Amino acid sequence: MKRYFLLIVLALFTVHTSEAQSSCSAYYPLVDGANFQYTNYNKKGKEEGQINYKVTNVQNGGDTVSAIMMMEMVDRKGNTYTSDYEIACDGNVVKIDFKSLMNEQMMSQFEDMEMDISGTDVELPNNLSVGQELPDGNMELKMKMGGAINMNMNVETINRKVEKKESVTTPAGTFDCFVIYSETKTKMMMGNQTFPSRTWLAEGVGMVKQESYNNKGKLTGSMVLTQFSK
């Protein structure tokens, strides 16, 4: 279960670097009832599970729009995990406060632990262009697992860059996308690792596809938009 929790944290960090569309965002529809379904695949293309998202409780306040994103994650064995967190669009940039990922529902899964989370937002501006460099972000998680056992995890999203424009087809349709390259650097007690990834973003839809690679550039897994409605 603890291993599953860490996978969820990484999935949240890498998937939702932006999560809104309204008058202040060109990506992801921030409207009540919008639904996204993503299917996870391993390096051989075998289905590993699904993540479902639903936008709720949208609040408009001048140049700022906020909402609650409800998440349900189902692995290949049928185990499910649900959570929700806040997202916001401020001006023409979408941001996430990573502390909001650690809500009471998630904390209740680990009543025997003390956790502290901090970090900086990952931002996505409206006006993307090929060759554009994007700001880094990071998240630090400190866990007390009982007794004298403590675990710290630091996750950084670095080297973010808009590589190209490309059309991509998924079960949800065909989309014109910007392709964003980034590297997720994790630091844990067992060592440091860096995982490159690419994300395909479509205006008005958001993330359409994501691919993750090992440090040699070989595909290790992917996530594809399989259903979308708003």
Side-chain angles (χ1 to χ4, degrees), residues 153-211:
M153 180 175 68
N154 183 270
V155 183
E156 295 180 277
T157 300
I158 60 175
N159 298 328
R160 301 176 66 217
K161 183 177 181 180
V162 182
E163 285 190 323
K164 58 184 175 180
K165 294 190 71 174
E166 184 174 84
S167 178
V168 62
T169 298
T170 79
T174 299
F175 307 93
D176 293 325
C177 300
F178 280 104
V179 182
I180 298 177
Y181 173 86
S182 65
E183 295 174 358
T184 301
K185 185 177 180 181
T186 63
K187 298 179 182 179
M188 299 177 65
M189 56 186 176
M190 70 280 293
N192 302 337
Q193 292 182 305
T194 300
F195 303 98
S197 66
R198 286 183 173 86
T199 301
W200 282 254
L201 289 176
E203 186 171 342
V205 179
M207 193 189 81
V208 172
K209 184 173 73 169
Q210 185 180 62
E211 292 184 346

Side-chain angles (χ1 to χ4, degrees), residues 42-89:
N42 64 18
K43 63 181 180 181
K44 296 182 179 180
K46 182 179 179 180
E47 185 174 329
E48 291 284 289
Q50 292 181 337
I51 304 179
N52 299 296
Y53 295 93
K54 184 177 181 178
V55 180
T56 64
N57 196 30
V58 176
Q59 303 289 329
N60 289 273
D63 291 334
T64 301
V65 181
S66 64
I68 301 297
M69 180 65 68
M70 300 177 62
M71 182 196 80
E72 180 185 59
M73 186 175 187
V74 184
D75 68 14
R76 62 181 178 178
K77 295 181 180 180
N79 298 313
T80 61
Y81 177 86
T82 60
S83 184
D84 57 73
Y85 59 93
E86 292 186 22
I87 58 178
C89 176

Side-chain angles (χ1 to χ4, degrees), residues 5 102 115-117 139-143 151-153:
F5 166 71
M102 299 293 112
M115 290 190 289
D116 180 61
I117 185 169
M139 179 184 72
E140 184 173 7
L141 178 66
K142 297 180 180 179
M143 301 173 61
M151 186 185 76
N152 295 338
M153 180 175 68

